Amino acid sequence: VSQEATEAAEATLPEEVAESVPLITVQNNMTNTIGMELPSLAVEGDAGKVVTSTEADTYPSVSKILLFAISATGVFLCNPLLSAIDTSAVGLLSGTAQQAALNPGVAVTDYAALLIAFLYTGATNLVAAAQEKDRGNDERPITTSSFKTALQLSGYVGFALGMTLFVSARPLLKLLIGNDSISVEIFSAAMKYVRIRALGMPAAAVIGSAQAGCLGMQDIRSPLYALVTAALVNLLGDTIFVGMKSSWF
């Protein structure tokens, strides 16, 4: 509504009514603002930093999402990668019978490892929530405490699962194979493999939770470093110990 239209409307009113109504000044600035870019709103964020609305609405690029996704897969690729290295090493260094024993042995250990996958998801959520609470605090006490709690819980659960596998290796393999007609040599080798992997289950659980915690802190490099290191250590151990005769297990 323009100023002229307002004055014309007031002129039509009776004199006593016009005197009781205060004068309203209306300015039409719509024609001046059309086509102009609206300024970005500024709000005061954490630590007194001023953040504009354009900065607040930014989203991660596709490349960042892909890097994060690739790093996240490292948490779940650790056990299958170690199993593949074991299979290759045993096939090259121990012979056909020992390699045949890996089929039921790997199935028992890898399927059992899936039972503790909830630890990795919980560690990521726990650390991410703690980091959000520590925003603006360089010491990050809540994040540190949450990370330690996740690692301790993973160690306890991994130890319990490892001991369960170690003790019940024989009945689990018999349940998987289905009968006793399998060769004694193959069955014995499969049981040794399950028990050796069971001893490393606490370390595997802690490593997996540590990788998941790094993802909660948006650290996309450490999980990949841990995956590569675990693969190299496993390869070195297989090269040294596979094929050696031992009565420990």
Side-chain angles (χ1 to χ4, degrees), residues 105-124:
V106 169
V108 170
T109 54
D110 284 358
Y111 290 155
L114 294 177
L115 297 176
I116 60 174
F118 69 94
L119 292 172
Y120 312 146
T121 304
T124 301

Side-chain angles (χ1 to χ4, degrees), residues 6 20 27 42 44-45 52 71 84 98 114 117 123 147 158 165 170 176 191 199 220 234-235:
T6 303
S20 63
Q27 295 181 354
E44 185 175 353
T52 62
S71 301
Q98 299 293 327
L114 294 177
F147 195 83
L165 283 177
R170 182 183 297 273
L176 181 64
M191 189 168 61
L199 294 178
I220 62 176
N234 188 51
L235 179 61

Side-chain angles (χ1 to χ4, degrees), residues 15-156:
E15 183 177 355
E16 60 275 8
V17 177
E19 291 178 355
S20 63
V21 177
L23 181 61
I24 301 176
T25 304
V26 181
Q27 295 181 354
N28 184 12
N29 295 326
M30 292 298 294
T31 56
N32 296 330
T33 58
I34 296 178
M36 296 178 60
E37 182 179 359
L38 294 177
S40 59
L41 299 178
V43 295
E44 185 175 353
D46 297 331
K49 181 181 177 181
V50 177
V51 181
T52 62
S53 61
T54 55
E55 295 175 348
D57 294 337
T58 56
Y59 297 96
S61 61
V62 176
S63 59
K64 290 184 178 180
I65 295 176
L66 289 177
L67 286 176
F68 189 85
I70 293 174
S71 301
T73 57
V75 178
F76 300 98
L77 284 180
C78 190
N79 281 327
L81 179 60
L82 299 183
S83 299
I85 294 175
D86 292 342
T87 303
S88 301
V90 170
L92 293 173
L93 302 176
S94 295
T96 305
Q98 299 293 327
Q99 190 174 20
L102 287 183
N103 189 16
V106 169
V108 170
T109 54
D110 284 358
Y111 290 155
L114 294 177
L115 297 176
I116 60 174
F118 69 94
L119 292 172
Y120 312 146
T121 304
T124 301
N125 295 336
L126 186 65
V127 173
Q131 189 179 25
E132 183 64 24
K133 294 179 181 179
D134 280 339
R135 185 178 297 275
N137 189 347
D138 295 336
E139 295 182 357
R140 298 189 295 181
I142 302 178
T143 303
T144 303
S145 177
S146 300
F147 195 83
K148 289 181 179 179
T149 301
L151 294 184
Q152 291 175 355
L153 180 61
S154 299
Y156 297 149

Side-chain angles (χ1 to χ4, degrees), residues 3-13:
Q3 183 68 23
E4 293 79 4
T6 303
E7 294 177 354
E10 292 177 353
T12 59
L13 295 175

